[in-house]
């Protein structure tokens, strides 16, 4: 039989029951005897029946879609494979659940708020992933007001009714600094991300704390928007000083790779003259020259955990926080002892 033409009516006829009963059984709704439900499911499987998301949405008043709204410059987003890996992890869970991901990239926070309101008003999603957490994040009370289930990627710095799926940034940055100090570096700089974002400020604070723990003076920090362009500009500023750093800790891999390109342009050898570390361990960080020492945050694992948690929240009305293993340092070829530590 042509699988594309298998409908609820066909399943009902083959099973000898009404279409309504088939609908209840296939949507796991009460009111169907266990034996009858089992027979209907068996017939549906044998016929190759596939659920129609549109039909399921109409019968259950659900969209069978989850939302992910990202308020970043598209150029910045395009250069950062972290989100691609995270989304791949989410999709690996949603595909098996017969659900889809609605992705919206917006230019600013005002548009982001409008997008959330529109998603709820139009019934387009059943829940959302909340990324790039901010200080006293206004989106958390907004989503609570809208009655939209959510999972926060990281722990907010205030009260939240939503479960959090988190990876601790601090140990990875601390390990990067400790590694460089062990190699003999004393002039260590940090190319930081946007301090308005919690993970940007956490990595910056972890860098400062690690220097204090090592007994070193406060290091130079240059704030950026996490983009490769800003990472390149920050590296130029640092390397054209009278006494440039011997090592730079970057807040993400794209900026570190941009910094590596600037060093090559200036004729500065990495790692002989300058050590560089990144953060995220994106796939091509191991294929640049030299391969990048970086911090692995396992974005695909994060995506799978976030999707599983959000589905559990929507199904049960509650879900526990998930603490994933702390980000860990992966040592490759971009770090080495300095020729002149002071």
């Amino acid at each position: 039989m042509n699988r594309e033409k298998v409908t609820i009516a066909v399943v009902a006829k083959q099973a000898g029951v009404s279409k309504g009963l088939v609908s209840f059984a296939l949507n796991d709704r009460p009111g169907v005897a266990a034996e009858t439900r089992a027979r209907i499911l068996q017939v549906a499987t044998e016929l190759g029946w596939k659920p129609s998301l549109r039909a399921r949405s109409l019968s259950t008043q659900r969209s069978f879609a989850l939302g992910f709204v990202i308020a970043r410059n598209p150029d910045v987003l395009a250069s950062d494979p972290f989100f691609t890996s995270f989304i791949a992890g989410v999709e690996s869970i949603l595909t098996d659940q017969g659900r889809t991901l609605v992705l919206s990239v917006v230019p600013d926070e005002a548009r982001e708020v409008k997008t959330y309101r529109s998603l709820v008003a139009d019934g387009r999603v059943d829940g959302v992933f909340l990324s790039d957490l901010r200080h006293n994040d206004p989106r958390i009370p907004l989503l609570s007001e809208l009655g939209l289930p959510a999972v926060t990627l990281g722990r907010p710095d205030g009260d939240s009714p939503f479960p959090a799926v988190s990876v601790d940034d601090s140990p990875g940055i601390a390990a990067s600094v400790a590694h460089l100090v062990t190699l003999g570096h004393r002039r260590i700089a940090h190319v930081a991300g946007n301090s308005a974002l919690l993970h940007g400020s956490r990595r910056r604070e972890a860098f400062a704390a690690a220097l204090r723990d090592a007994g070193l003076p406060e290091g130079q920090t240059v704030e950026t928007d996490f983009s490769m362009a800003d990472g390149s500009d920050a590296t130029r500023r640092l390397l054209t000083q009278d006494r440039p750093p011997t090592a730079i800790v970057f807040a993400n891999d794209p900026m570190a790779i941009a910094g590596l390109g600037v060093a090559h342009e200036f004729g500065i050898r990495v790692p002989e003259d300058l050590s560089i570390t990144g953060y995220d361990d994106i796939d091509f960080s191991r294929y640049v020259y030299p391969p990048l020492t970086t911090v692995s945050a396992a974005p695909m694992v994060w995506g799978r955990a976030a999707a599983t948690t959000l589905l559990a929240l929507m199904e049960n009305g509650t879900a526990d926080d998930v603490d994933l293993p702390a980000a860990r340092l992966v040592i490759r070829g971009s770090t080495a002892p300095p020729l002149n530590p002071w």
Side-chain angles (χ1 to χ4, degrees):
M1 180 176 293
N2 187 336
R3 292 189 174 186
E4 293 183 355
K5 296 181 180 178
V6 177
T7 64
I8 283 181
V10 174
V11 175
K13 181 178 179 181
Q14 187 72 18
V17 297
S18 69
K19 290 192 294 183
L21 204 58
V22 171
S23 178
F24 271 50
L26 294 178
N27 287 297
D28 198 26
R29 295 169 66 180
V32 185
E35 182 180 342
T36 304
R37 186 188 303 275
R39 185 170 81 255
I40 291 171
L41 294 177
Q42 181 179 351
V43 169
T45 300
E46 290 173 351
L47 293 175
W49 175 85
K50 299 293 182 183
S52 162
L53 282 181
R54 185 170 184 272
R56 290 176 70 194
S57 297
L58 291 172
S59 65
T60 63
Q61 294 186 329
R62 294 182 181 179
S63 68
F64 293 93
L66 303 182
F68 192 18
V69 183
I70 304 174
R72 288 206 187 191
N73 183 314
D75 293 335
V76 175
L77 194 63
S79 68
D80 191 348
F82 172 87
F83 285 100
T84 305
S85 296
F86 176 85
I87 289 170
V90 169
E91 289 283 17
S92 70
I93 299 298
L94 298 191
T95 298
D96 291 340
Q97 297 291 325
R99 295 177 183 266
T100 59
L101 181 67
V102 176
L103 176 65
S104 296
V105 179
V106 296
D108 52 45
E109 295 177 25
R111 187 72 61 84
E112 186 178 15
V113 169
K114 290 181 180 179
T115 300
Y116 283 123
R117 292 190 180 280
S118 175
L119 289 173
V120 172
D122 297 339
R124 293 177 59 199
V125 298
D126 300 319
V128 293
F129 303 101
L130 195 61
S131 70
D132 284 344
L133 295 181
R134 299 153 198 159
H135 297 281
N136 299 312
D137 202 313
R139 297 171 298 172
I140 291 174
L142 169 68
L143 295 178
S144 182
E145 171 198 328
L146 294 173
L148 188 61
V151 164
T152 62
L153 307 184
R155 274 196 171 78
D157 60 355
D159 292 337
S160 170
F162 305 122
V165 178
S166 307
V167 175
D168 191 351
D169 304 84
S170 300
I173 293 293
S176 298
V177 173
H179 169 61
L180 294 168
V181 171
T182 300
L183 290 174
H185 291 276
R186 298 296 179 266
R187 297 198 311 276
I188 306 171
H190 180 42
V191 174
N194 185 348
S195 61
L197 304 180
L198 286 184
H199 66 286
S201 61
R202 272 198 306 264
R203 294 175 195 182
R204 183 171 186 162
E205 291 163 5
F207 172 77
L211 288 182
R212 289 195 299 271
D213 291 344
L216 295 177
E218 183 177 347
Q220 209 173 354
T221 297
V222 182
E223 184 168 330
T224 71
D225 63 0
F226 279 112
S227 71
M228 296 186 80
D230 264 19
S232 175
D233 290 344
T235 307
R236 290 176 188 278
R237 289 169 55 188
L238 291 169
L239 296 183
T240 53
Q241 298 176 117
D242 291 339
R243 295 187 75 244
T246 63
I248 305 176
V249 175
F250 288 84
N252 70 7
D253 283 352
M255 292 198 298
I257 291 169
L260 183 62
V262 171
H264 290 326
E265 178 188 337
F266 286 177
I268 296 173
R269 298 171 301 168
V270 177
E272 294 85 353
D273 303 320
L274 174 70
S275 285
I276 287 176
T277 70
Y279 196 104
D280 284 334
D281 195 21
I282 59 178
D283 188 56
F284 57 77
S285 65
R286 71 195 67 182
Y287 300 113
V288 296
Y289 182 78
L292 186 64
T293 293
T294 186
V295 176
S296 176
M300 282 194 67
V301 174
W302 205 349
R304 288 195 290 269
T308 301
T309 302
L310 185 51
L311 290 173
L313 175 64
M314 294 187 304
E315 180 69 23
N316 305 318
T318 184
D320 293 331
D321 291 345
V322 177
D323 290 313
L324 296 172
R328 61 183 180 84
L329 183 65
V330 179
I331 299 174
R332 298 195 182 106
S334 65
T335 51
L339 295 177
N340 181 14
W342 296 104

